[in-house]
Amino acid sequence: MAAVTCKDLCKTFSQGGERVIGLERVTLEVEEGEFLCLSGPSGSGKTTLLNTIGGLDTPDSGSITVAGQCIDRFSREQLANLRLHNIGFVFQAYNLIPVLSARENVEFVMQLQGRGLATRRALAMTILEEVGLAGLEDRRPAQLSGGQQQRVAVARAIASDPVLVLADEPTANLDSRNSSQLMELFAELNRRRSATFVIATHDKRVMDFCHRRISLQDGRIVNAESRAAGSA
């Protein structure tokens, strides 16, 4: 079964009075449990495609189905609900809440879901241990290294038990050691939790971890490559 199905997606933007193509007739299917990367140079459309899948951008035309729901005509409220319960996000800039501890950042999404304090606290501690941050749960983002902050972001992304995790250039602010550790963590979470991962990147090290690579250029898919799982 497909976790994501995109058909003939088109998206344009206005930039300096000019029409810029974000996506042009993009058709893509992502299977449940897949570990996929979107690659391409800056401006190729990979982030636009990722944001469209996540309901952060709305396509001008075409259709998109996520977790069995056709979302291209969803209202803002419906999209917010979809993201809250079905999609986890990992951003390049971490996007952690600076005044909250690591544990509180992870708990926040579960609080929005309406889970009780005891439940979300226990789950947050379990997930932080799962991503290698046991003992650091009371530290605020400024007290953590870049790699540790990104692990908190990953813990927050999976706290809602999503069917889909979207990551936009997750290694851009990390050194090679932390980049490798993050991708190993993604791969382990993909295997253990069967969550679908879609990662936008131009980092060759990230591409080497993924099971399938979709290359974009000028808003179009220009190539698709697969490799055997576990061959990184």
Side-chain angles (χ1 to χ4, degrees):
M1 181 177 175
V4 178
T5 302
C6 304
K7 186 174 181 181
D8 291 332
L9 289 183
C10 294
K11 178 70 177 178
T12 59
F13 301 95
S14 180
Q15 194 172 76
E18 295 185 1
R19 176 177 170 270
V20 177
I21 295 175
L23 299 173
E24 186 165 5
R25 300 185 67 83
V26 168
T27 295
L28 173 67
E29 189 165 276
V30 184
E31 295 297 322
E32 286 185 353
E34 192 167 0
F35 199 55
L36 170 75
C37 82
L38 306 173
S39 68
S42 178
S44 63
K46 59 185 185 296
T47 295
T48 301
L49 179 55
L50 198 76
N51 288 344
T52 303
I53 291 171
L56 298 175
D57 280 338
T58 302
D60 298 331
S61 62
S63 66
I64 178 166
T65 301
V66 178
Q69 303 176 72
C70 184
I71 71 168
D72 39 281
R73 298 188 185 278
F74 267 22
S75 66
R76 287 186 178 182
E77 183 178 353
Q78 288 173 310
L79 288 171
N81 191 60
L82 174 84
R83 290 191 293 268
L84 179 60
H85 294 281
N86 294 283
I87 303 175
F89 291 90
V90 181
F91 298 99
Q92 174 181 338
Y94 317 140
N95 287 9
L96 300 177
I97 301 172
V99 297
L100 300 184
S101 67
R103 175 181 50 76
E104 290 166 337
N105 267 282
V106 176
E107 281 186 42
F108 185 64
V109 66
M110 293 184 282
Q111 183 178 356
L112 293 176
Q113 289 180 322
R115 300 195 199 185
L117 175 61
T119 297
R120 65 179 188 257
R121 183 150 299 180
L123 282 171
M125 294 296 288
T126 297
I127 294 169
L128 285 169
E129 182 175 0
E130 189 175 358
V131 302
L133 293 176
L136 301 179
E137 60 274 1
D138 292 326
R139 294 192 184 183
R140 292 184 179 181
Q143 298 171 307
L144 298 170
S145 68
Q148 289 168 340
Q149 289 184 60
Q150 192 62 296
R151 284 173 179 264
V152 175
V154 173
R156 180 184 58 189
I158 64 175
S160 61
D161 198 24
V163 297
L164 178 64
V165 177
L166 304 177
D168 190 10
E169 299 285 5
T171 63
N173 294 325
L174 303 179
D175 59 25
S176 59
R177 176 174 171 271
N178 279 303
S179 294
S180 294
Q181 288 179 347
L182 178 65
M183 293 311 300
E184 287 167 0
L185 174 61
F186 277 175
E188 178 61 25
L189 292 171
N190 170 252
R191 287 191 294 267
R192 189 186 311 152
R193 291 175 170 262
S194 299
T196 306
F197 278 76
V198 180
I199 305 167
T201 187
H202 63 269
D203 188 337
K204 180 65 165 57
R205 296 167 299 183
V206 174
M207 298 174 201
D208 288 341
F209 271 90
C210 295
H211 303 158
R212 186 158 64 110
R213 173 184 171 187
I214 302 296
S215 301
L216 291 101
Q217 184 174 328
D218 299 327
R220 303 180 184 90
I221 292 177
V222 294
N223 194 27
E225 301 173 0
S226 298
R227 68 167 181 82
S231 63

